[in-house]
Amino acid sequence: MPHIPISPALQRFRVLDLSRVRAGPTCVRMLADFGADVIRIEPPPGIDPNEAMFAADRWNGDFQNLNRNKRSLTLNLKREEGREVLRSLVEQADVVVENWRPDVKARLGVDYESLRAINPRIILASISGFGQDGPYARRPGFDQIVQGMGGLMSVTGLPGQGPVRAGLAVADSSTGLYTALGILTALLEREVSGEGQWVHASLLHAQIAMMDFQAARYLNDGDVPVQEGNDHPTSCPMGLFAANDGTFNLGAAGEGNWKRFCLVLGRQDWLDDADYATEKLRVRHRRKLNEVIQEVFREQSVAHWVDLLNAAGVPAGPVYSVPQMFEDPQVQHLQAARTVQAWQGGERTLISQPVTLTRTPAAIARTAPGWGEHTDEVLREAGYDDAAIARLHAEGVV
């Protein structure tokens, strides 16, 4: 079936998705969920030696979540005929997204200058591990490698235990979101200039940007961030505490929260203690303060403290497992998980867009496509007749 926009927000744009793994598909999913016509272009079976990792298991939740709302076209870009098909698609497209090495782009004619010669309005979005040029430009980049090089692993974990990987793909996901923002900015600018441009982002730079206040502290104050475990590096009391039936997070940072915290616990004496008079002093005396707070918290349950503190305007929350997270009433109210009918029967439950537009919201209309499910219809839209499509199939181009 042809593309049916699921949201009017981006329905006028066509995106060719040549990316794989996580950062690129994350970027393109953002556009697809808001109605862009996304065509996922991937090699036919047997062409990519890594297809078992990137394309073969299409029913698993991760693949489904990353590639919902897209159509699929198989195309062998190692063949000139395949590259010719791609050029015909570029003529009608607004955005191309890829995550190839710079030399591969040039060899296949997917570098910006080559695409611009076909369509001056095209926006090429390139995602790499380390950048489009420079000493590491040709290095392969994976999330965990960049978590280490981007400083994240040095501040994650308990003090003294050594570097720890964050439990989610921070570099991949943030790069995808930054790239989507770059694409949308370029589309807005194109409305003024009439011209496309090259948008590129790297996992390394995105990871450094995600270090945010930790990196800025070092650059401006010479303060080298280290592992603080569950404590906040610059605020106190803020961290993980034990109740009599589990653990919960407390966020009593800032003078207002600190005062409300002491009063709701009936501990005016903490407000009068000179060691806790300012945030900096509370951080300096963190160990002693955490110990006296912990003595109080062991007397009641997690639910008791979370309800009491939030009622007083002091941030606090439980520590959930993933199943517990989805059972939370607020998570269910937000409809963070959406169930959609799958193309091969059955259903898949996917994570909804966390950004809400009140008039043109995102939606999940269909699961990830079958391998090459929409090849013929996309080719017809590009002007190929049935005989030409049959020849491309027979010759292994699609």
Side-chain angles (χ1 to χ4, degrees), residues 6 46 58 69 97 102-103 117 119 132 137 158 218 234 317 319 365 370 384:
I6 58 175
R58 309 178 82 83
N69 290 334
V97 180
D103 58 312
N119 179 357
Q132 295 299 311
L158 299 172
Y218 167 70
T234 61
V319 178
Y384 290 84

Side-chain angles (χ1 to χ4, degrees), residues 85-106:
V85 172
L86 179 62
R87 288 191 286 269
S88 69
L89 295 175
V90 169
E91 292 177 0
Q92 304 173 15
D94 297 282
V95 180
V96 175
V97 180
E98 58 83 25
N99 59 351
W100 297 333
R101 296 194 317 269
D103 58 312
V104 174
K105 275 197 289 293

Side-chain angles (χ1 to χ4, degrees), residues 144-145 147-157 162-166 227:
Q144 184 160 343
I145 307 301
Q147 282 195 31
M149 295 180 68
L152 179 59
M153 292 175 68
S154 74
V155 300
T156 304
V164 176
R165 169 188 173 274
Q227 291 168 313

Side-chain angles (χ1 to χ4, degrees), residues 73-266:
L73 163 74
T74 53
L75 196 58
N76 186 354
L77 296 177
K78 294 181 179 181
R79 300 273 301 275
E80 173 56 31
E81 297 92 336
R83 295 191 291 274
E84 178 58 37
V85 172
L86 179 62
R87 288 191 286 269
S88 69
L89 295 175
V90 169
E91 292 177 0
Q92 304 173 15
D94 297 282
V95 180
V96 175
V97 180
E98 58 83 25
N99 59 351
W100 297 333
R101 296 194 317 269
D103 58 312
V104 174
K105 275 197 289 293
R107 186 170 71 248
L108 296 180
V110 191
D111 57 287
Y112 176 64
E113 291 305 321
S114 297
L115 297 182
R116 184 176 183 275
I118 301 168
N119 179 357
R121 292 174 56 81
I122 200 71
I123 292 163
L124 172 63
S126 298
I127 294 174
S128 63
F130 300 98
Q132 295 299 311
D133 47 32
Y136 301 161
R138 294 198 177 190
R139 283 191 183 185
F142 277 109
D143 181 90
Q144 184 160 343
I145 307 301
V146 173
Q147 282 195 31
M149 295 180 68
L152 179 59
M153 292 175 68
S154 74
V155 300
T156 304
L158 299 172
Q161 76 173 113
V164 176
R165 169 188 173 274
L168 62 138
V170 180
D172 277 342
S173 297
S174 61
T175 306
L177 294 175
Y178 281 128
T179 306
L181 175 61
I183 290 170
L184 294 173
T185 303
L187 288 170
L188 284 171
E189 191 281 335
R190 193 180 70 174
E191 294 179 357
V192 177
S193 68
E195 297 184 13
Q197 58 184 303
W198 189 17
V199 174
H200 47 91
S202 70
L203 272 65
L204 181 59
H205 200 163
Q207 179 61 84
I208 292 169
M210 291 295 289
M211 289 293 287
D212 197 40
F213 81 99
Q214 296 277 45
R217 284 167 52 210
Y218 167 70
L219 289 173
N220 293 280
D221 306 322
D223 187 357
V224 179
V226 296
Q227 291 168 313
E228 299 282 1
N230 293 309
D231 292 321
H232 192 279
T234 61
S235 295
C236 181
M238 181 178 283
L240 188 70
F241 291 89
N244 66 15
D245 64 347
T247 56
F248 68 99
N249 279 308
L250 167 70
E255 299 308 321
N257 280 328
W258 168 242
K259 182 176 181 180
R260 287 190 293 272
F261 173 69
C262 293
L263 294 177
V264 75
L265 265 61

Side-chain angles (χ1 to χ4, degrees), residues 237 240-246 248 250 261 265 267 269-270 276 286-301 304-305:
L240 188 70
F241 291 89
N244 66 15
D245 64 347
F248 68 99
L250 167 70
F261 173 69
L265 265 61
R267 296 304 300 260
D269 57 308
W270 293 348
Y276 310 146
R286 184 198 305 275
R287 179 174 295 182
K288 182 179 75 167
L289 178 56
N290 281 355
E291 288 175 355
V292 296
I293 291 173
Q294 184 59 80
E295 290 178 9
V296 175
F297 283 156
R298 288 192 189 279
E299 298 173 0
Q300 297 286 348
S301 68
H304 171 85
W305 293 121

Side-chain angles (χ1 to χ4, degrees), residues 2-20:
H3 171 64
I4 300 175
I6 58 175
S7 169
L10 299 178
Q11 67 177 354
R12 65 190 184 278
F13 299 117
R14 172 172 280 193
V15 180
L16 306 181
D17 180 11
L18 295 165
S19 69
R20 60 184 187 179

